[in-house]
Amino acid sequence: DAGVIQSPRHEVTEMGQEVTLRCKPISGHDYLFWYRQTMMRGLELLIYFNNNVPIDDSGMPEDRFSAKMPNASFSTLKIQPSEPRDSAVYFCASSTNRGETQYFGPGTRLLVL
Amino acid sequence: GENVEQHPSTLSVQEGDSAVIKCTYSDSASNYFPWYKQELGKRPQLIIDIRSNVGEKKDQRIAVTLNKTAKHFSLHITETQPEDSAVYFCAASQGGYQKVTFGTGTKLQVIP
């Protein structure tokens, strides 16, 4: 198995632009998580899905952020419009229903200028 | 919701010495406590976990202890090596509920 796949690995954009981050979880995993990591705030859970359904989005910072999971093998995190304070590493992780171990993707390093 | 506090934020030890990282949690319903290691520029990876029905768990040079009454748990690394240098995160969850709350991380530096 290739593990959790994220794209792009690096993204540099200008303030106001739309950013879309993509994630492919490990096949057979029922849970998918989106995290944001910064030096100041550490590792923050933004949203997670179970069987493609959003369960808890209380960590989503504001309306500029949205996430979807149209099927079991794909999820997106969108920021529109992006702001410099959104600069961070965004991780996607997945886990099975019967175990709690979360497997993280390599992350997307986002820089908003 | 759950709140996890982690100490210290940074830790330097000489190679071969032991390192201890401590965490406390607030929600008595939490019953699953994983530890993740994140090397510089890499993703967090699970290194050990413990459930609330166990007080201690060991895996080679690493061990985790849990005190449910006091709501704290600790990571112990013995005979530290330079490759142990990384950021370590503790976390807590209610197991099947799946939402995991992470601590703020401890940057461990092992000095050769």
Side-chain angles (χ1 to χ4, degrees), chain A residues 55-91:
Chain A
I55 302 300
D56 186 343
D57 65 354
S58 59
M60 296 286 263
E62 49 198 272
D63 292 345
R64 297 185 298 106
F65 285 69
S66 62
K68 295 182 179 180
M69 192 164 186
N71 57 62
S73 59
F74 184 66
S75 176
T76 59
L77 178 67
K78 187 173 293 186
I79 308 172
Q80 167 63 17
S82 58
E83 296 182 4
R85 60 192 169 121
D86 301 331
S87 298
V89 179
Y90 290 81
F91 287 103

Side-chain angles (χ1 to χ4, degrees), chain B residues 1-17:
Chain B
E2 176 66 274
N3 182 46
V4 177
E5 294 189 357
Q6 184 171 349
H7 300 280
S9 57
T10 60
L11 178 61
S12 291
V13 299
Q14 291 289 331
E15 182 178 357
D17 287 350

